[in-house]
Amino acid sequence: HVIEYYLDLLHFMNLNPTAIEPKVYIDAARSAWADDFLKFKGINRDDYLIGVVPGGGVSWGKAVDIRRWAKEKFTQLADKIIDNFPVKMVIFGDKFELELCNSIVSGMKNKAVMIVGQTDLLQFVALLSKCNIVIANDGGPLHLSVGAGVKTVSLFGPVDERVYGQYPNNPDVHRIIKKDLSCRPCYDKFRMPPCQHDKRCLNDITVDEAFDAVKNLLRIKEHI
């Protein structure tokens, strides 16, 4: 994993690092702010909250879509979860993802809260920490959710989940959905060739597969 790779550099300084779980620290003021912000949006502290981050990965620039699951599938997944479980749903994004998130929310038959471009980074993490589960593409919001101690369902395409996935990968807490195709992972040494397979690594992931991953993390008897 890339975390272990970077820690290994310390051996050149005669230091023997111990791999630990990444953690994001949220102060009490921001945690309280997040509670109040969600309450204003109609979400109470005892609601079972699922966050969906359909964007992310903006560091890839124009090639960012190659690592994002289809917005139509996010829409179908969000509706299916609400249809089957008493949960509330938040669609997260930054100001550059307004069109993407609005397309998902407007396409849903159920109600979801959209929080897009309304927070700074630490406020965003504070809101993520209030979620019971976060569903996200491979990218920064996924790892911020892990650091905030939230259960996650991730969708991995061209990037190797063994190197860049949730750390540590505990299936009781984090579920990774990916397709074992002969062409993936194609992202290597910060480079990726043009896709010759119509983004099958992500397009072949079904809504049912993602729903089953969420359902398994819900632990219905325990939480709902």
Side-chain angles (χ1 to χ4, degrees):
H1 196 280
V2 67
I3 288 177
E4 296 170 350
Y5 176 80
Y6 287 138
L7 286 175
D8 279 346
L9 295 175
L10 296 176
H11 289 300
F12 293 102
M13 300 171 63
N14 295 318
L15 298 173
N16 295 310
T18 300
I20 59 173
E21 297 183 20
K23 184 172 177 59
V24 178
Y25 294 90
I26 303 163
D27 60 71
R30 285 191 176 87
S31 181
W33 172 88
D35 286 330
D36 291 341
F37 187 87
L38 290 172
K39 186 175 182 180
F40 177 76
K41 297 287 187 178
I43 298 170
N44 298 314
R45 295 182 66 177
D46 57 348
D47 288 328
Y48 198 98
L49 184 60
I50 295 183
V52 176
V53 190
V58 294
S59 62
W60 281 33
K62 294 180 179 179
V64 67
D65 283 344
I66 199 68
R67 66 194 295 191
R68 290 178 174 176
W69 202 38
K71 61 183 179 182
E72 296 81 9
K73 291 187 175 180
F74 273 115
T75 301
Q76 296 168 27
L77 175 62
D79 268 333
K80 187 167 184 176
I81 293 170
I82 295 174
D83 283 342
N84 285 272
F85 304 109
V87 303
K88 290 191 176 179
M89 188 82 60
V90 174
I91 311 298
F92 289 108
D94 68 21
K95 61 183 180 180
F96 301 108
E97 297 165 344
L98 178 60
E99 182 178 353
L100 169 65
C101 296
N102 187 59
S103 175
I104 291 171
V105 172
S106 62
M108 292 175 59
K109 64 181 182 181
N110 294 300
K111 181 181 178 181
V113 173
M114 188 168 73
I115 301 177
V116 177
Q118 302 173 48
T119 67
D120 60 28
L121 182 61
L122 291 177
Q123 289 172 335
F124 173 55
V125 177
L127 290 172
L128 288 176
S129 73
K130 304 300 180 179
C131 296
N132 296 91
I133 297 175
V134 168
I135 306 165
N137 297 307
D138 155 42
L142 171 66
H143 299 293
L144 289 173
S145 301
V146 173
V150 180
K151 295 180 180 180
T152 65
V153 172
S154 60
L155 303 129
F156 270 78
V159 175
D160 193 336
E161 73 285 350
R162 297 168 299 179
V163 179
Y164 294 101
Q166 298 95 309
Y167 186 89
N169 181 23
N170 178 355
D172 290 334
V173 181
H174 304 299
R175 296 296 175 104
I176 296 173
I177 309 174
K178 42 89 177 182
K179 289 295 180 180
D180 292 322
L181 305 175
S182 60
C183 58
R184 81 162 297 273
C186 59
Y187 177 74
D188 183 47
K189 297 178 181 178
F190 305 104
R191 289 179 172 81
M192 190 180 69
C195 181
Q196 304 295 324
H197 304 282
D198 193 29
K199 208 171 80 168
R200 280 189 56 206
C201 55
L202 280 170
N203 288 337
D204 283 4
I205 295 175
T206 68
V207 172
D208 285 342
E209 287 176 308
F211 175 77
D212 287 343
V214 173
K215 181 175 65 175
N216 289 334
L217 284 184
L218 279 172
R219 299 182 182 274
I220 301 171
K221 292 182 180 179
E222 180 180 343
H223 293 299
I224 295 181

